Amino acid sequence: MTGPVTESDIPAERQSPDVPSSGGIDLISSHVADVAGLSVRRALPRRSRRTVGAWCFLDHMGPVEVGHDQAVSIGPHPHMGLQTVTWLTAGEILHRDSLGSEQLIRPGQLNLMTAGAGVSHAEATTGSYRGEVQGVQLWVAQPESTRHGSPAFEHHGVLPRHELAHGVATVLVGTFGDIASPARRDTDHVGVDLDLGVGVSLLPLAPDFEYGLVVLEGAVRIGPVGIEPGNLAYLGVGRHELALTAASPTRAILIGGLPFPEPLLMWWNFVGRTREEITAAYQQWQAQDDCFGVVDSPLPRIPASPPAWLTTPLPPSARRQ
Ligand code: MN
């Protein structure tokens, strides 16, 4: 249920906000992207904000009605150097991967796939489900210490919950307050689902983490700043707590972590460090190299488009004589 990164991820020298910062909050508009015929709101990466901690990708899909004429249908495609975090608030999706995993995911459950050096997967609605589908898929960049390692897959049917004054926080990954998720974590990061009722809820934060908030449904205010679906609210570092005010029932995702210390290069479904390794991964997928394994799926394999640096002519000054 994720789409690839379609813009070249040229390491940004300096990240600047889309709108002037207010109360230390930058509101960054999501990009509307098409994923297998479905419209998604892509909150990360954006030109002005590429990562929040190790989180480097966030797609908000739906709500969309699936039935006989509409489906989520994403054929086998590879990943490298990242973890996919899949979380639904409505509907169901079937995950199949090259490790042999076949896992139905429903609201309240977490699918966490670690790509390491290479994995492939397919994600689709089941065909038997009719109704609304809504969810998020996020990627976590793997650190140097694990990104060349083995792929892995985890499914968590039940996750720990933290009661708020007006709502419930479900800890997908990492530690929130004194509640820790059992999900694998290769860096210091946190991901939390917020199911908020009307009122003010106080969230415990870690001051050395940077945070971002995406609203899926409803709206919240942080001081004077209103946050609605279609934006990433970047909250920076240095906060010990966060007061969220909801005027109506609201669903949101909070992500955070230590600012990622390594430079990242993202292309299509790959996270790496250099053009050479991304180019090699692209060529291996196109050649059906077994480094990404094989997914047992009825859906067709998704071909990769070539990295921009292979198709864009070099400027004259960069040409060798
Ligand atoms: Mn994927």
Side-chain angles (χ1 to χ4, degrees):
M1 52 169 283
T2 174
V5 175
T6 51
E7 58 176 345
S8 174
D9 187 89
I10 298 152
E13 311 74 51
R14 204 163 185 288
Q15 297 183 326
S16 58
D18 272 10
V19 297
S21 177
S22 171
I25 298 170
D26 299 335
L27 271 187
I28 301 165
S29 298
S30 298
H31 168 66
V32 176
D34 178 279
V35 175
L38 292 177
S39 172
V40 301
R41 299 180 180 98
R42 182 157 301 156
L44 282 178
R46 303 294 295 125
R47 202 162 288 285
S48 58
R49 172 55 48 192
R50 297 186 178 272
T51 52
V52 176
W55 300 97
C56 61
F57 182 96
L58 194 167
D59 263 4
H60 170 206
M61 181 190 67
V64 61
E65 289 290 318
V66 302
H68 61 278
D69 60 345
Q70 176 71 285
V72 178
S73 179
I74 302 171
H77 60 278
H79 287 292
M80 175 181 81
L82 61 92
Q83 295 180 299
T84 62
V85 172
T86 309
W87 175 256
L88 299 181
T89 59
E92 56 182 42
I93 300 268
L94 182 64
H95 162 97
R96 290 190 174 105
D97 66 35
S98 55
L99 298 162
S101 319
E102 182 171 319
Q103 180 67 56
L104 190 66
I105 182 172
R106 292 198 168 103
Q109 305 175 343
L110 176 74
N111 275 359
L112 176 65
M113 184 178 74
T114 301
V119 75
S120 53
H121 71 153
E123 294 160 295
T125 39
T126 54
S128 56
Y129 175 80
R130 300 273 187 274
E132 186 179 294
V133 174
Q134 179 169 216
V136 286
Q137 189 170 79
L138 304 101
W139 298 352
V140 182
Q142 289 185 256
E144 191 61 32
S145 57
T146 67
R147 73 185 186 96
H148 304 289
S150 301
F153 177 77
E154 292 176 8
H155 173 81
H156 297 275
V158 179
L159 289 163
R161 290 151 66 98
H162 178 101
E163 295 292 332
L164 301 168
H166 299 279
V168 176
T170 304
V171 188
L172 315 187
V173 183
T175 300
F176 182 70
D178 53 2
I179 309 277
S181 163
R184 169 173 165 173
R185 192 163 57 81
D186 293 359
T187 58
D188 237 349
H189 62 275
V190 65
V192 180
D193 173 275
L194 300 169
D195 195 354
L196 302 173
V198 174
V200 181
S201 292
L202 207 56
L203 313 186
L205 302 189
D208 52 347
F209 277 21
E210 57 181 348
Y211 288 91
L213 185 81
V214 170
V215 172
L216 308 184
E217 289 184 287
V220 293
R221 297 197 77 78
I222 301 173
V225 180
I227 304 157
E228 296 180 346
N231 294 288
L232 170 77
Y234 177 72
L235 307 170
V237 299
R239 296 171 188 266
H240 293 266
E241 59 184 25
L242 184 68
L244 289 182
T245 305
S248 60
T250 294
R251 202 69 184 265
I253 300 288
L254 177 75
I255 55 175
L258 291 179
F260 197 73
E262 302 170 30
L264 293 178
L265 185 65
M266 296 176 64
W267 178 261
W268 196 49
N269 288 298
F270 305 126
V271 174
R273 302 293 184 272
T274 65
R275 289 182 173 187
E276 288 69 28
E277 61 182 320
I278 300 282
T279 300
Y282 157 70
Q283 289 168 342
Q284 284 165 322
W285 178 251
Q286 294 306 89
Q288 304 201 19
D289 186 292
D290 62 11
C291 65
F292 295 109
V294 174
V295 187
D296 181 11
S297 165
L299 298 170
R301 217 169 169 274
I302 299 179
S305 3
W309 54 85
L310 296 184
T311 57
T312 308
L314 292 172
S317 59
R319 272 191 211 129
R320 294 213 175 157
Q321 299 300 312

